[in-house]
Amino acid sequence: MSPVSRPSVREKKKRDPSSQLDVIIVGAGLGGLGAAIAILLAGHNVTVLESASEIGEIGAGIQVLPNSSRILISWGLEDKMVKHATTPRYANMIGWKGNHLSRMDLHAYGNALGTPFWDFHRANLHICLLDRAIELGAKLHVKSRVQNIEYAKDGLTATAVLSDGRTMSADLIVGADGISSHLREVLLGKPDPPLPTGDLAYRLLINAKDMLADPELQHFIQDPQVNYWIGPDAHAVNYVLRGGELFNMVLLVPDDMPAAAMTVDGNVEEMQALYKGWDPKIEKILRLCQSVQKWKLCIRPTLEQWSHESGTFTLLGDAVHATLPYLASGCGMALEDGAALGLCLSMLTDKSQEQKLSALKIYEDCRKERTEKVVERGNLQQYIYHIHDGEEQKERDKKLKKFGEVDEELFRNPESITRPRTESGDDPLPWRYYGVGGWLLTYDVEKDVEHRWEQTQAEMKARSLL
């Protein structure tokens, strides 16, 4: 039995018009649709504006950690999600030549924390979120690019000005327009492009049948695990998707893309050459690749303030705090943002500026420090994974072994890994308890919002007595 209880499914809150907000969400990606679900469950009205001509999701695999699967389950998505999910058994750290360094028992962690590790194709996760948002009453508009936000003189509403001249007003506008966010620049009042990290990702999908036909590769499909090969200036990650239909591979290497480009078609031979001399299994897998894309990896340092002073406009997800994918937590942080915002808005008892500002302050208080820590640790993992062979690499590998033994000891009492920590540790396998798992995986957004809301109410009551 899990030391932590399974989350209950949230019911949609009933409201009368006096406290029911009209909310516009700009962006129909994973973060925007997650926010739509959470805000609809809070009893408000939601319209989603998407600039593309159709709603969909590009990309390949995505990892959902227990802190994020907890949210998806609470939104009533478990039955749909498990049809598309793979639940990997271990996360393995492997040297670039193929030597096994350490592992993390993902099933044991999932059982202890009460919610699983899931791997998805992004398109499957996206359609589940989209269907749930529509089921709850979301209105969606495509071909709706927002150029500007204007604020009412009374401070109660904001208006989205679209590129085709249309305008749409709401009590709250949420910018969820991703890493290349225009609305971040609208809030700041100046250009603010994402910051390149010096890395790029090759993303490829391989038909599992091709791997099952090879005795040396078939175990990757038959026993789904997450594998990290780490080596000089580069690393590689792979895992199984769609219950064994596809094999997802991501190769992380130094960025050689043009400065302005975010995504370009890659050259298969060039990619294969970068991993020449690595574990022969990687070379074998890459020979099955027919085509590949390159993605520039950028980050977004967080903002001092996520919301407009009127309380009618805020941001979430990659628009505020895009991170390297080295903690597999970009999507997770966006889902947490949406969940936290919805929970804060569920506390409203009227539509006043005062209450909206209070809700947005608690939303930022819940999210700001946590998302900053994810960005910072992602940057550190970039360094840890890419250490050249030598004394520092040997020290890293010793730590991986040592913390693997510590993990085994912890699971003599599984409840111990459910106790939240505030600090990061030195484990180079970051999801484990003494890496960042102690604060990343144990997080419960509902408890955090509830605690901060009660704290705020007590402070307001104390001030009123002075």
Side-chain angles (χ1 to χ4, degrees):
M1 185 176 174
S2 167
V4 178
S5 61
R6 200 85 165 165
S8 57
V9 176
R10 294 186 67 80
E11 297 292 327
K12 187 173 182 179
K13 197 166 188 172
K14 293 180 180 176
R15 291 184 175 273
D16 62 50
S18 66
S19 69
Q20 189 174 53
L21 301 183
D22 291 321
V23 179
I24 290 173
I25 295 173
V26 181
L30 301 175
L33 293 175
I37 291 167
I39 294 169
L40 286 159
L41 288 170
H44 303 293
N45 301 317
V46 173
T47 299
V48 180
L49 304 181
E50 171 56 46
S51 61
S53 58
E54 59 183 32
I55 292 177
E57 181 66 35
I58 59 171
I62 193 163
Q63 299 185 75
V64 171
L65 312 186
N67 52 301
S68 310
S69 62
R70 173 169 291 274
I71 290 168
L72 295 171
I73 292 167
S74 77
W75 288 344
L77 284 164
E78 184 171 17
D79 289 346
K80 289 182 180 178
M81 305 255 46
V82 294
K83 295 174 185 175
H84 305 289
T86 304
T87 53
R89 190 159 62 106
Y90 295 112
N92 299 297
M93 284 286 167
I94 305 166
W96 67 289
K97 291 291 190 180
N99 50 312
H100 192 275
L101 299 172
S102 195
R103 73 182 187 188
M104 174 183 180
D105 189 331
L106 302 181
H107 285 182
Y109 266 86
N111 290 337
L113 294 165
T115 50
F117 284 82
W118 279 333
D119 291 338
F120 293 102
H121 193 293
R122 290 182 74 96
N124 293 127
L125 175 55
H126 188 266
I127 196 66
C128 287
L129 292 171
L130 177 62
D131 288 349
R132 182 62 169 145
I134 291 170
E135 180 185 15
L136 289 167
K139 297 174 183 175
L140 287 94
H141 299 270
V142 294
K143 300 180 182 177
S144 300
R145 184 178 297 279
V146 176
Q147 287 292 112
N148 197 19
I149 306 291
E150 295 176 349
Y151 308 97
K153 289 181 179 178
D154 63 8
L156 295 178
T157 61
T159 299
V161 181
L162 278 61
S163 57
D164 60 8
R166 286 179 293 155
T167 59
M168 299 179 72
S169 297
D171 301 300
L172 176 65
I173 296 176
V174 180
D177 53 341
I179 190 166
S180 298
S181 173
H182 174 65
L183 292 189
R184 177 182 173 116
E185 297 182 334
V186 168
L187 181 65
L188 290 172
K190 63 178 183 181
D192 187 40
L195 299 180
T197 63
D199 280 2
L200 66 79
Y202 286 96
R203 302 182 193 272
L204 48 148
L205 287 173
I206 295 166
N207 191 319
K209 289 179 182 176
D210 295 335
M211 295 184 64
L212 288 168
D214 187 320
E216 279 195 290
L217 300 180
Q218 60 187 209
H219 72 277
F220 287 110
I221 308 300
Q222 293 168 340
D223 184 12
Q225 303 185 29
V226 180
N227 300 296
Y228 282 74
W229 283 264
I230 53 179
D233 297 324
H235 71 285
V237 185
N238 61 34
Y239 46 91
V240 175
L241 300 178
R242 291 181 173 163
E245 290 180 18
L246 293 170
F247 191 68
N248 183 75
M249 189 94 171
V250 187
L251 308 175
L252 300 308
V253 300
D255 182 7
D256 64 357
M257 291 169 60
M262 292 296 282
T263 308
V264 298
D265 289 333
N267 179 288
V268 173
E269 290 77 19
E270 178 186 273
M271 174 193 71
Q272 290 168 338
L274 290 168
Y275 286 83
K276 189 172 178 58
W278 283 54
D279 184 344
K281 291 188 180 72
I282 290 186
E283 296 192 56
K284 228 177 186 190
I285 292 167
L286 296 186
R287 284 200 290 272
L288 299 174
C289 178
Q290 304 298 314
S291 63
V292 70
Q293 281 198 309
K294 294 163 74 168
W295 301 65
K296 187 184 291 290
L297 297 180
C298 296
I299 61 170
R300 285 281 197 185
T302 193
L303 298 172
E304 281 302 309
Q305 194 169 326
W306 293 19
S307 306
H308 188 264
E309 60 189 11
S310 66
T312 60
F313 175 41
T314 194
L315 298 172
L316 66 73
D318 281 353
V320 201
H321 50 69
T323 179
L324 277 165
Y326 299 168
L327 290 184
S329 289
C331 168
M333 290 303 102
L335 294 176
E336 284 185 7
D337 287 353
L341 182 58
L343 291 164
C344 290
L345 296 178
S346 74
M347 305 290 191
L348 299 185
T349 56
D350 61 43
K351 296 162 69 171
S352 67
Q353 185 179 54
E354 181 185 18
Q355 284 214 12
K356 283 193 289 182
L357 284 169
S358 180
L360 291 178
K361 181 182 184 304
I362 294 167
Y363 162 60
E364 284 189 39
D365 288 347
C366 283
R367 304 306 305 148
K368 196 164 181 290
E369 181 183 356
R370 181 168 169 80
T371 53
E372 285 174 1
K373 284 168 73 174
V374 167
V375 174
E376 288 168 5
R377 184 60 185 236
N379 294 343
L380 177 60
Q381 290 303 128
Q382 179 184 29
Y383 178 78
I384 290 171
Y385 290 157
H386 297 171
I387 293 171
H388 284 237
D389 287 354
E391 288 307 311
E392 193 175 10
Q393 163 261 321
K394 290 175 184 174
E395 186 59 34
R396 177 201 64 194
D397 295 354
K398 282 180 188 174
K399 283 185 180 179
L400 280 166
K401 185 171 186 254
K402 180 189 84 170
F403 281 107
E405 293 165 356
V406 169
D407 238 38
E408 288 180 14
E409 191 64 31
L410 283 173
F411 274 102
R412 292 178 185 276
N413 175 20
E415 189 176 350
S416 62
I417 70 110
T418 70
R419 296 177 189 136
R421 282 166 50 86
T422 56
E423 299 301 318
S424 299
D426 292 333
D427 189 344
L429 203 170
W431 296 340
R432 289 192 299 214
Y433 188 71
Y434 285 110
V436 299
W439 59 261
L440 180 65
L441 305 185
T442 59
Y443 182 71
D444 187 322
V445 67
E446 292 187 27
K447 288 181 181 177
D448 193 13
V449 171
E450 189 176 325
H451 169 71
R452 291 176 193 271
W453 190 273
E454 289 173 355
Q455 205 173 37
T456 299
Q457 295 302 109
E459 289 169 1
M460 289 171 64
K461 186 175 180 180
R463 281 198 298 270
S464 71
L465 297 173
L466 292 177

